[in-house]
Amino acid sequence: MISSNSKVILEVRNLSASVAGIEILKGINLTVRSGEVHAIMGPNGSGKSTFSKVLAGHPGYTVTGGEVLFEGQNLLELPPEERARNGVFLAFQYPIEIPGVSNSAFLRLTYNTQQAHRGGEELDPLEFNDFIQEKCKIVEMDPSFLDRSVNEGFSGGEKKRNEILQMAVLDPRLAILDETDSGLDIDALRIVASGVNKLMTPDNAVIMVTHYQRLLNYITPDFVHVMRRGRIIKTGGKELALELETRGYDWLDDEHQKAASV
Amino acid sequence: MSTTLEALINRPYEYGFVTDIESDAIPKGLSEDVIRLISKKKNEPDWLLEFRLNAYRHWLTMTEPVWANVSHAKIDYQDIIYYSAPKPKKKLASMDEVDPELLRTFEKLGVPMHERKMLANVAVDVIFDSVSVTTTYKEKLAEVGIIFCSFSEAVQHHPELVKQYLGSVVPSADNFFAALNSAVFTDGSFCYIPKNTRCPMDLSTYFRINNAESGQFERTLIIAEEGSHVSYLEGCTAPRFDTNQLHAAVVELVVLDNAEIKYSTVQNWYAGDENGVGGIYNFVTKRGLCKGVNSKISWTQVETGSAITWKYPSCVLLGDNSIGEFYSVALTNHHQQADTGTKMIHIGKNTRSRIVSKGISAGQSNNSYRGLVKISAKADGARNYSQCDSMLIGSACGAHTFPYIEVMNSTAKVEHEASTSRIGEDQMFYFASRGIGGEEAVSMIINGFCKEVFNHLPMEFAVEATKLLGLKLEGSVG
């Protein structure tokens, strides 16, 4: 998918961030170009999820240094809703339930808000119904889910599929999938991964945060980054994920320390 | 994020204006002479004066209830004007004769009194201060035998009905505020639906308190004869004042065999400023009697205003197989206090009741649900389901639930569920990460939370209620 004239979508330079006074991210550097899939792996507590939330603008985290450019624009100065409208999408590890709000009403509001921002055409409920029925097919979601309250009573797999459905509706430039594979059985994993693959174009990009290599069997990454203690300590191709699967993370730690001490 | 939330819920009251109309008021204070004067001004029959005086004499022996989870400065009952009527008082032949200033007030409030409302098929009995200014649609309703008029008119033209039912559900000595109301009520609405008649339109009354420092004591009486059906809408707004205004209304519903009354309220009286100064004290007694078999009363309320709300719309389920319902949204913000809920008194066999209460607390407000479910010894097979959900916005507010359950019959089935939730950072962030900003997110969460109640409001009212919650907590609803 990578072509020589692909554009830089995201440029992260020396980003550090803290929560409740504790520094979690300690200088992240990452460049994502259009058409690329990046996997960010690492053990628990390495800062993977924090990184994705900071990119999306979660108010609980304080950026303490560095910068993030999204399509050349300073992302950090925008509130989360504007980041979303500009094309940054975060698929949640634990999607929130919204009792009493129908999935279709929620999706239509997000879609129309996005369209208004982009100067596109907003859809009335009937037009939106046609639109969303097509999108449901991408994640093999039964349209009856549209009438249910957002994520309420959904199984883990249904919630994750619903996240990808939202991604399909919003058509982001940059999708950040935070542990989208966690809690999924093998069928649900296949469906979710196939949905993401269908949504990939040469113009957008995906960052996948994951513990496990198995998601990468379905979505092939162009780059695999390993995070440890708030830093990216190693970057490689898809074969790095396989190596991690057999060797774990500790060897990297040793290697990184060795490199640092030389 | 929390500062955004605060900004959203701290919008000023939109209807805070005073209409400049000359009022015909009698001096402050309460005595038998004042009551005689009110009765005389209204040209009432002797039995009604007696009703008032009996209530007054009983009231003198009573003390204000203190059990509610609210606190306020002591009310000086001698510092209240008990009667005021806008001038001119002469009968108006048409809407054109209505004081233009008054019409503009209704316009500001969005009271759809003219053609707009007629097109919407709703009759309006507008109460301005204490006297009904005009009644529309009366003639059309009269064709099917429905009486819908001001209480004063009912006293003049249908005294036998008023005499038969007045105080039959809420006795004049029922409680402190009901006794006060029975002594000094000046006007209100009266509605009578004859046998086997389905009211062809929703009946709507718009209440409004206008005269500073005047208490308002409405009296509403609705009678649904056998096999009849009526949907009644009551909406309230009030202008801004610095001194507290006491409002102690009494609403009585009587439902006979196979009949149904659906009573919906949207209340947005002035709640006081953000420091808790001013605002209406809303101490209301609302009760319905399911007198006949298979009768049904359904209360739906959206309470967003008043400094203090003290209100328990109740159902006495006397007839076998009768049904009582209570659907409530109570929203408090700033220093508002609400102690509201219902009483379901099961007396007849196989009686059923359902309670769905949604409390939303913001600012430093205090929101209490207080409900009684009583199953008497003879109520074989009675069933009740109660659900009380509270939502907190911010960390300085309070939500309380006081369910009282008294069961004297072993065949009864009573269920109670309760939950408390909070609009938190993570919920707001979820919306934000989908491009939906703070205002719309809060609005959507709140409307989702209240959906089960809104579903029971007539369509037009549901839209109004959604707007009201929007006003109270944020801007517009998406």
Side-chain angles (χ1 to χ4, degrees):
Chain A
M1 282 228 211
I2 310 167
S3 63
S4 56
N5 60 358
S6 58
K7 285 194 303 183
V8 172
I9 288 183
L10 185 76
E11 182 82 58
V12 180
R13 290 181 196 143
N14 204 26
L15 178 69
S16 54
S18 66
V19 64
I22 300 162
E23 195 162 56
I24 311 281
L25 302 184
K26 300 169 182 170
I28 304 251
N29 291 289
L30 180 68
T31 302
V32 178
R33 291 184 171 79
S34 57
E36 292 178 349
V37 175
H38 290 245
I40 296 181
M41 303 184 72
N44 286 328
S46 57
K48 307 186 298 291
S49 278
T50 297
F51 180 47
S52 49
K53 284 178 189 161
V54 167
L55 289 181
H58 193 293
Y61 298 87
T62 310
V63 173
T64 50
E67 59 179 348
V68 178
L69 298 176
F70 175 71
E71 298 192 303
Q73 193 187 4
N74 180 359
L75 191 66
L76 298 177
E77 69 180 9
L78 298 177
E81 60 270 23
E82 283 182 37
R83 298 185 196 192
R85 289 173 204 156
N86 284 336
V88 176
F89 178 85
L90 174 64
F92 278 53
Q93 183 177 5
Y94 304 108
I96 305 291
E97 299 185 1
I98 314 168
V101 176
S102 80
N103 215 10
S104 58
F106 180 72
L107 288 165
R108 193 168 76 89
L109 179 63
T110 60
Y111 179 77
N112 282 343
T113 304
Q114 176 89 289
Q115 287 297 97
H117 181 75
R118 294 177 181 175
E121 190 195 348
E122 297 181 38
L123 299 180
D124 67 31
L126 280 177
E127 294 165 333
F128 186 75
N129 190 49
D130 295 340
F131 169 82
I132 195 69
Q133 297 280 348
E134 284 305 307
K135 299 292 181 191
C136 281
K137 291 176 188 163
I138 294 171
V139 285
E140 299 177 33
M141 188 178 276
D142 190 306
S144 67
F145 276 82
L146 298 171
D147 300 326
R148 291 171 54 179
S149 294
V150 180
N151 292 327
E152 196 183 37
F154 284 27
S155 72
E158 288 162 353
K159 284 182 182 173
K160 296 299 174 71
R161 270 197 271 173
N162 207 25
E163 293 292 287
I164 305 306
L165 177 62
Q166 294 178 24
M167 175 179 162
V169 166
L170 293 176
D171 187 23
R173 295 301 303 278
L174 175 67
I176 305 157
L177 313 180
D178 188 7
E179 309 252 5
T180 293
D181 51 334
S182 69
L184 293 188
D185 63 33
I186 200 73
D187 287 331
L189 181 66
R190 182 187 51 76
I191 291 167
V192 163
S194 130
V196 173
N197 283 328
K198 284 176 200 158
L199 296 172
M200 283 296 301
T201 72
D203 294 322
N204 60 23
V206 171
I207 296 175
M208 294 185 291
V209 171
T210 180
H211 268 294
Y212 302 108
Q213 194 272 334
R214 63 172 195 164
L215 176 63
L216 310 183
N217 290 334
Y218 297 92
I219 306 172
T220 311
D222 300 298
F223 299 95
V224 173
H225 309 277
V226 180
M227 265 186 85
R228 192 92 209 234
R229 297 193 185 94
R231 289 187 182 90
I232 290 175
I233 57 168
K234 191 170 178 70
T235 294
K238 64 184 175 192
E239 65 289 342
L240 176 58
L242 292 167
E243 198 173 358
L244 292 171
E245 188 80 351
T246 51
R247 294 180 67 184
Y249 293 109
D250 286 345
W251 63 279
L252 280 171
D253 212 25
D254 299 340
E255 201 175 72
H256 184 65
Q257 302 232 314
K258 226 179 279 171
S261 63
V262 168
Chain B
M1 186 68 63
S2 60
T3 49
T4 328
L5 270 177
E6 247 167 62
L8 296 182
I9 61 185
N10 289 340
R11 298 200 168 219
Y13 184 72
E14 270 209 347
Y15 301 132
F17 49 83
V18 180
T19 310
D20 188 18
I21 293 180
E22 224 187 307
S23 277
D24 165 24
I26 60 176
K28 282 178 181 176
L30 185 54
S31 65
E32 290 206 6
D33 286 345
V34 166
I35 290 167
R36 285 177 205 281
L37 191 57
I38 292 171
S39 194
K40 195 177 168 204
K41 269 182 181 283
K42 303 185 74 63
N43 192 25
E44 286 176 353
D46 290 345
W47 62 264
L48 192 50
L49 176 60
E50 277 311 303
F51 177 87
R52 289 178 181 279
L53 291 172
N54 284 337
Y56 175 66
R57 286 162 196 155
H58 199 94
W59 179 74
L60 289 174
T61 70
M62 301 170 96
T63 49
E64 250 179 84
V66 292
W67 43 263
N69 187 24
V70 299
S71 63
H72 56 82
K74 200 159 169 48
I75 299 167
D76 182 355
Y77 292 94
Q78 295 303 336
D79 195 36
I80 292 171
I81 300 166
Y82 285 91
Y83 180 80
S84 88
K87 285 178 177 174
K89 278 175 26 180
K90 66 177 172 72
K91 278 267 180 221
L92 303 176
S94 78
M95 293 292 300
D96 301 336
E97 296 178 27
V98 175
D99 191 328
E101 184 67 21
L102 185 53
L103 290 180
R104 270 195 296 277
T105 303
F106 290 133
E107 205 65 37
K108 273 195 230 172
L109 281 175
V111 183
M113 191 158 57
H114 304 119
E115 287 78 4
R116 282 180 297 168
K117 201 72 177 185
M118 292 185 188
L119 287 172
N121 210 26
V122 177
V124 185
D125 176 19
V126 180
I127 306 259
F128 191 81
D129 264 17
S130 311
V131 167
S132 292
V133 174
T134 183
T135 304
T136 53
Y137 264 67
K138 208 187 302 178
E139 280 157 30
K140 191 176 171 187
L141 291 169
E143 278 172 29
V144 286
I146 291 172
I147 304 164
F148 179 43
C149 61
S150 73
F151 204 91
S152 318
E153 280 178 275
V155 169
Q156 301 302 323
H157 302 304
H158 310 282
E160 68 297 336
L161 284 172
V162 176
K163 194 174 178 184
Q164 185 183 349
Y165 289 107
L166 179 69
S168 70
V169 185
V170 180
S172 62
D174 186 80
N175 67 68
F176 184 83
F177 297 111
L180 180 62
N181 175 287
S182 299
V184 301
F185 72 88
T186 43
D187 216 332
S189 291
F190 177 84
C191 179
Y192 176 83
I193 315 292
K195 252 186 192 179
N196 300 321
T197 304
R198 203 179 165 88
C199 186
M201 67 196 79
D202 292 345
L203 299 181
S204 169
T205 305
Y206 225 99
F207 291 96
R208 182 169 162 81
I209 301 174
N210 192 59
N211 196 0
E213 294 185 57
S214 80
Q216 181 143 351
F217 304 92
E218 286 114 0
R219 192 88 199 186
T220 299
L221 178 56
I222 304 176
I223 301 142
E225 286 279 10
E226 287 172 31
S228 67
H229 177 283
V230 64
S231 170
Y232 189 87
L233 321 180
E234 170 203 31
C236 313
T237 56
R240 176 188 292 271
F241 288 119
D242 284 328
T243 51
N244 290 306
Q245 291 182 297
L246 175 64
H247 180 84
V250 170
V251 175
E252 294 179 281
L253 312 182
V254 181
V255 190
L256 301 174
D257 291 358
N258 304 304
E260 179 179 349
I261 295 177
K262 188 172 161 49
Y263 193 107
S264 311
T265 307
V266 172
Q267 188 261 115
N268 182 27
W269 281 336
Y270 180 51
D273 65 15
E274 61 273 17
N275 299 314
V277 176
I280 305 287
Y281 289 1
N282 190 23
F283 301 150
V284 185
T285 305
K286 287 185 167 178
R287 194 176 303 155
L289 175 61
C290 280
K291 201 170 181 181
V293 296
N294 305 316
S295 56
K296 182 176 175 184
I297 289 173
S298 184
W299 297 101
T300 306
Q301 62 172 24
V302 178
E303 299 286 321
T304 67
S306 300
I308 302 177
T309 302
W310 181 100
K311 182 181 174 189
Y312 315 90
S314 305
C315 299
V316 179
L317 304 172
L318 183 63
D320 290 348
N321 309 317
S322 59
I323 298 172
E325 292 177 339
F326 175 73
Y327 299 98
S328 168
V329 168
L331 184 152
T332 53
N333 193 6
H334 301 307
H335 291 266
Q336 276 180 282
Q337 307 175 67
D339 193 302
T340 184
T342 184
K343 287 190 274 186
M344 293 291 174
I345 315 290
H346 293 253
I347 300 168
K349 292 182 179 42
N350 300 312
T351 46
R352 279 173 288 156
S353 63
R354 185 178 172 83
I355 298 168
V356 177
S357 164
K358 306 278 183 178
I360 302 157
S361 325
Q364 285 120 297
S365 67
N366 219 3
N367 202 330
S368 302
Y369 167 81
R370 186 184 304 277
L372 168 68
V373 175
K374 184 171 180 173
I375 314 278
S376 65
K378 289 178 184 169
D380 292 337
R383 288 209 312 264
N384 161 265
Y385 172 76
S386 304
Q387 185 190 332
C388 303
D389 298 322
S390 305
M391 182 170 274
L392 301 167
I393 301 174
S395 54
C397 52
H400 314 269
T401 303
F402 303 98
Y404 303 83
I405 298 172
E406 294 173 22
V407 179
M408 332 275 223
N409 185 308
S410 60
T411 64
K413 199 171 151 189
V414 176
E415 294 170 77
H416 181 92
E417 285 181 27
S419 78
T420 304
S421 54
R422 185 185 290 278
I423 297 187
E425 205 170 59
D426 283 332
Q427 228 169 352
M428 297 293 286
F429 179 59
Y430 192 66
F431 278 90
S433 71
R434 303 296 178 257
I436 302 173
E439 289 196 4
E440 271 187 305
V442 171
S443 164
M444 209 169 203
I445 293 168
I446 292 291
N447 284 310
F449 178 69
C450 300
K451 193 179 181 185
E452 214 180 329
V453 173
F454 287 172
N455 281 347
H456 289 274
L457 287 174
M459 175 73 107
E460 212 181 64
F461 240 28
V463 172
E464 203 173 310
T466 307
K467 277 189 194 159
L468 261 184
L469 291 197
L471 268 177
K472 286 284 167 173
L473 286 176
E474 59 201 50
S476 58
V477 175

